[in-house]
Amino acid sequence: MSKGFHLTFFSSVLSICLLISASTVSGTDTAKQVPVPISPESICPLLNGQKIPAVTLKSSEGELFDLIASVTKKPTILIFYRGGW
Amino acid sequence: MQLGQLQEIEPKLNQLGYQIIAVSPDRPEVLKNSMKKHNFTYLLLSDSRKEAARAFGIAFRVDQKSLKMYEQYGIDIETASGEGDLILPVPAVFVIGLDGVIKFEYVNPNYEVRLDPDILMAAARSAVKN
């Protein structure tokens, strides 16, 4: 396979990622409409330099937690893990 | 990097001014058990509907083969999150500035390859400097 093909292929994969992430961060509801990839290898994560989306999480007490509000108070190390199992 | 390793570098990260937030699909009740079991001192939060994982672009749907493997290990991801969507996040670490911008990230679809705590420390140090 030619180098040119690889370049074109990877740049189109990247553009798809950028398109998806752009629509993901533009609104809270759009995140739900973007289909969820069927393998860990086909995800399109937000990239360095992008702003985090507005999301609401829950504390262990079930209270709502506004991520952006918390991040603007302190620089944050945000970890996603699969579960306590 | 496992959560236990994170616990070890937590004081150093706090010294740099960081807060640590760990998010998983686990229901709030399940988080409570994790906190008791492991004595985690940082904040565990629940993303049971996977909205955060989706918005960060790291959500994926678990296939039947992996699901069977989880079952063999006694892991029931539906009970853990309380939702039947079979969605998990790819393990990820984000260093985020006060402006809400991602300064550094580590996302690896292979959950066995974890971020070296030394690299996280270096990225964290660099991000507060700039």
Side-chain angles (χ1 to χ4, degrees), chain B:
Chain B
M1 196 181 50
Q2 289 172 303
L3 290 185
Q5 281 181 304
L6 184 63
Q7 187 102 328
E8 283 170 32
I9 57 167
E10 187 188 11
K12 284 195 267 179
L13 288 168
N14 289 341
Q15 262 176 17
L16 291 171
Y18 283 96
Q19 64 174 339
I20 300 175
I21 297 176
V23 175
S24 77
D26 287 348
R27 287 178 286 130
E29 299 78 20
V30 178
L31 291 184
K32 256 191 214 169
N33 293 340
S34 297
M35 285 157 77
K36 266 186 228 153
K37 198 164 121 193
H38 302 286
N39 258 324
F40 290 139
T41 40
Y42 45 82
L43 190 57
L44 297 188
L45 292 174
S46 168
D47 179 31
S48 55
R49 293 174 64 196
K50 291 83 171 182
E51 284 166 351
R54 284 175 176 222
F56 276 79
I58 55 168
F60 71 99
R61 219 177 288 276
V62 178
D63 60 28
Q64 288 303 315
K65 197 179 140 205
S66 311
L67 203 61
K68 283 229 172 74
M69 197 189 74
Y70 284 135
E71 275 169 18
Q72 279 165 8
Y73 285 110
I75 297 163
D76 181 348
I77 61 172
E78 287 187 47
T79 306
S81 82
E83 302 280 337
D85 53 22
L86 303 180
I87 294 172
L88 284 180
V90 168
V93 180
F94 295 92
V95 178
I96 305 164
L98 287 172
D99 52 3
V101 171
I102 299 167
K103 309 294 179 186
F104 170 86
E105 68 177 55
Y106 179 83
V107 185
N108 194 326
N110 181 355
Y111 61 87
E112 288 176 344
V113 185
R114 298 195 168 100
L115 173 62
D116 183 331
D118 291 341
I119 294 175
L120 176 59
M121 276 312 298
R125 242 181 252 120
S126 160
V128 283
K129 247 189 278 168
N130 299 320

Side-chain angles (χ1 to χ4, degrees), chain A:
Chain A
M1 251 178 280
S2 74
K3 211 175 182 179
F5 169 79
H6 278 284
L7 272 178
T8 321
F9 176 73
F10 283 118
S11 59
S12 36
V13 168
L14 184 64
S15 348
I16 294 168
C17 281
L18 290 175
L19 264 177
I20 292 175
S21 55
S23 58
T24 306
V25 284
S26 63
T28 42
D29 286 340
T30 33
K32 287 178 206 163
Q33 289 152 19
V34 175
V36 176
I38 51 156
S39 80
E41 288 80 13
S42 45
I43 59 165
C44 288
L46 294 185
L47 303 173
N48 287 324
Q50 285 188 291
K51 270 208 168 182
I52 61 161
V55 288
T56 307
L57 299 154
K58 267 188 189 166
S59 75
S60 58
E61 299 299 325
E63 290 155 348
L64 296 180
F65 183 95
D66 180 340
L67 184 63
I68 287 189
S70 179
V71 162
T72 52
K73 287 186 201 117
K74 262 187 163 197
T76 303
I77 309 289
L78 180 68
I79 319 273
F80 280 90
Y81 67 104
R82 294 172 302 156
W85 31 269

